[in-house]
Amino acid sequence: MFATLISNARIFDGVSVVSECGHVLIESGRITQISLMEPLSPESPCKVVDASGCTLLPGLIDAHMHVFQDVQLLEIAMRYGVTTVLDLHNEPEWFKAINAITRQRNDVADVKSACYAATIKNGWPSAIVKLVSQEPDIDDRIAKWPDLTDKKSVEEYVARTKAAGASFIKLMQEDGYTIDLPFPEVPVPTPSFELQKCIVDTAHENGLLTLAHALSNHSTLLVLKAGVDGLAHVSMDPVTDELIQAFKKNNAFLIPTLAINTSCSGAEQESREKFASDLEGEEKEHLCGCMHITKKEFSSETAYEQVIALKEAGIDILCGTDTSIDLKGTRSGASVHHELWLYVNRCRFTPLEALVSATSKIADRFGFSDRGKIEEGRLADLVLVSGDPVQSIDALRDIKGVWRNGERLAQK
Ligand SMILES: [Zn+2]
């Protein structure tokens, strides 16, 4: 692979703007040299990209997706500058197949997976999947999901999931309280506090980070008390001091997933359409469509207030969308841009804070020391945009180049 020199770029390194006219050398898939002022003159031949008037950023990360076996989601992500996605519940076999592809191809985003979440019989997400899935063999598939009941089953599950290549463990604490769907059992069965604590403790003993699905304050408090490291959604209840203190006690992070929150509530139709403006046909319809499954007493405004309060209390916010192929109102990559736009325009983030939430903060919290920052030695997963997204987050949409492992994505 040829070396590449990206010259004259404003550089946002994942934390701050470190140069207004800097130079980055890429060799063998890694960032090997950074000069914040003086031009670089590499000894060996290289492609030169003149990035005058552009900003270079680390490849973006979506901290909440469901990839399943849909490689096209990873191809689309790349076109939006998203070079890594976190897959928060998947069939281990599907992840294995996806992982084999991401190792061979640099035109698809990389995936870090939870593999199977820590599920219980008739709990989440089987309660909703059974209602909405069109798959004829869905019951057979669900029958293979973990049915955690006690310490022994948890130990086996964590060992198996780690062996399958999981990078973290996902907990599910969902009783259906905010969701307007005819579940077969109400409330939807949830794991006990003791079981959740056992899952967190066992994951930690195995060196795995934990994060949990929860949509209410009650569920969020329960999993925080059980010791989780982060939440995979914002709670839809009004924020309370008790909740803020519980986040602080664990130093837990929050992945708000406002992209799916607003699809479920039906809010933000206008901004969703803005991010679908370059799409056509079914793709446009999918992103502009809404799930409309939130009970009407829960609003996205309350969720924004929750995000604002947690951020202002110093809680780490990590960008994630909950995009998957069957969730209307989301689209791979485009929803990351929408999510960041919502942070800036609804949750009082500066554009810089939003960009940090989709790059270095995710890498730091998940322990990915090879990506998320523009730093010598890290992977050359990069995105180049015209203009300055640190001044205006809208500039993120004007993508001039995307690299994964130092290879530039061919423009379509
Ligand atoms: Zn999800």
Side-chain angles (χ1 to χ4, degrees):
M1 205 191 295
F2 264 115
T4 303
L5 175 65
I6 302 173
S7 279
N8 309 316
R10 178 181 300 102
I11 299 175
F12 163 73
D13 69 352
V15 179
S16 63
V17 176
V18 293
S19 173
E20 287 295 329
C21 188
H23 316 274
V24 173
L25 182 64
I26 303 168
E27 294 168 301
S28 305
R30 300 253 168 191
I31 297 164
T32 52
Q33 227 183 322
I34 301 170
S35 171
L36 301 182
M37 278 169 73
E38 296 303 313
L40 290 171
S41 29
E43 283 154 28
S44 38
C46 65
K47 288 182 200 162
V48 178
V49 176
D50 180 13
S52 304
C54 296
T55 304
L56 188 67
L57 307 94
L60 305 175
I61 305 174
D62 186 340
H64 191 153
M65 257 183 91
H66 297 280
V67 178
F68 301 127
Q69 47 190 345
D70 307 315
V71 181
Q72 70 270 37
L73 290 185
L74 305 176
E75 294 168 349
I76 297 166
M78 283 288 286
R79 287 189 243 144
Y80 291 86
V82 176
T83 54
T84 300
V85 308
L86 311 192
D87 177 36
L88 302 192
H89 178 61
N90 201 351
E91 306 288 328
E93 287 159 39
W94 291 355
F95 170 60
K96 195 176 168 195
I98 286 280
N99 202 21
I101 293 167
T102 62
R103 277 161 193 262
Q104 281 171 12
R105 288 172 51 185
N106 290 328
D107 64 338
V108 294
D110 195 15
V111 181
K112 304 274 188 184
S113 186
C115 296
Y116 282 140
T119 52
I120 62 165
K121 202 171 172 96
N122 298 327
W124 198 260
S126 74
I128 190 167
V129 172
K130 281 181 183 169
L131 283 181
V132 301
S133 176
Q134 313 277 338
E135 277 178 70
D137 62 345
I138 190 67
D139 288 333
D140 300 342
R141 199 147 70 67
I142 288 174
K144 288 193 261 165
W145 292 2
D147 174 11
L148 303 181
T149 52
D150 58 6
K151 193 168 195 295
K152 185 166 172 282
S153 62
V154 169
E155 284 172 351
E156 281 169 7
Y157 155 75
V158 171
R160 216 179 327 118
T161 305
K162 189 176 179 180
S167 302
F168 35 80
I169 293 287
K170 166 99 176 276
L171 283 71
M172 295 293 192
Q173 189 70 31
E174 180 55 64
D175 55 12
Y177 161 75
T178 66
I179 303 164
D180 194 6
L181 282 175
F183 295 117
E185 276 180 83
V186 180
V188 173
T190 52
S192 67
F193 169 75
E194 289 71 24
L195 188 64
Q196 296 292 42
K197 186 167 187 314
C198 178
I199 295 164
V200 171
D201 290 345
T202 308
H204 286 168
E205 281 159 22
N206 281 272
L208 293 170
L209 175 142
T210 56
L211 72 169
H213 166 111
L215 295 177
S216 66
N217 283 2
H218 172 80
S219 298
T220 303
L221 287 166
L222 187 146
V223 291
L224 284 170
K225 199 172 167 210
V228 285
D229 304 294
L231 269 296
H233 299 284
V234 65
S235 162
M236 303 184 72
D237 285 317
V239 68
T240 62
D241 192 51
E242 185 189 13
L243 194 90
I244 294 172
Q245 295 313 321
F247 266 92
K248 279 191 169 173
K249 189 171 177 215
N250 290 24
N251 185 27
F253 58 80
L254 170 68
I255 304 170
T257 63
L258 297 180
I260 197 68
N261 176 293
T262 53
S263 164
C264 289
S265 71
E268 295 296 341
Q269 193 54 26
E270 204 177 307
S271 64
R272 203 172 295 108
E273 278 169 19
K274 169 182 153 108
F275 288 91
S277 60
D278 56 338
L279 304 175
E280 284 171 4
E282 271 181 35
E283 292 184 342
K284 189 179 195 114
E285 228 170 87
H286 186 80
L287 180 53
C288 291
C290 272
M291 301 281 288
H292 277 299
I293 58 167
T294 300
K295 286 182 189 161
K296 61 179 183 306
E297 57 266 39
F298 299 98
S299 76
S300 288
E301 277 73 26
T302 308
Y304 303 156
E305 282 163 21
Q306 172 116 215
V307 174
I308 290 167
L310 287 168
K311 175 182 167 282
E312 286 177 358
I315 300 307
D316 281 341
I317 309 291
L318 276 48
C319 171
T321 63
D322 207 3
T323 293
S324 83
I325 214 148
D326 49 10
L327 293 180
K328 273 191 189 177
T330 67
R331 177 174 164 83
S332 183
S335 286
V336 171
H337 293 201
H338 188 208
E339 184 83 19
L340 296 178
W341 186 92
L342 289 166
Y343 295 167
V344 172
N345 290 281
R346 302 287 182 262
C347 301
R348 300 189 205 155
F349 282 53
T350 64
L352 182 85
E353 289 169 337
L355 295 170
V356 169
S357 83
T359 53
S360 66
K361 199 149 266 189
I362 298 176
D364 285 349
R365 293 304 308 254
F366 279 83
F368 305 148
S369 56
D370 62 351
R371 65 194 73 197
K373 288 179 192 170
I374 297 180
E375 199 174 78
E376 288 173 7
R378 294 216 180 205
L379 293 171
D381 289 0
L382 300 164
V383 51
L384 186 68
V385 303
S386 188
D388 186 359
V390 178
Q391 293 301 318
S392 165
I393 199 70
D394 287 313
L396 209 48
R397 299 180 72 195
D398 196 358
I399 290 181
K400 295 295 171 202
V402 183
W403 288 259
R404 186 172 159 240
N405 293 324
E407 188 177 338
R408 190 172 189 168
L409 182 70
Q411 261 157 336
K412 287 211 170 135

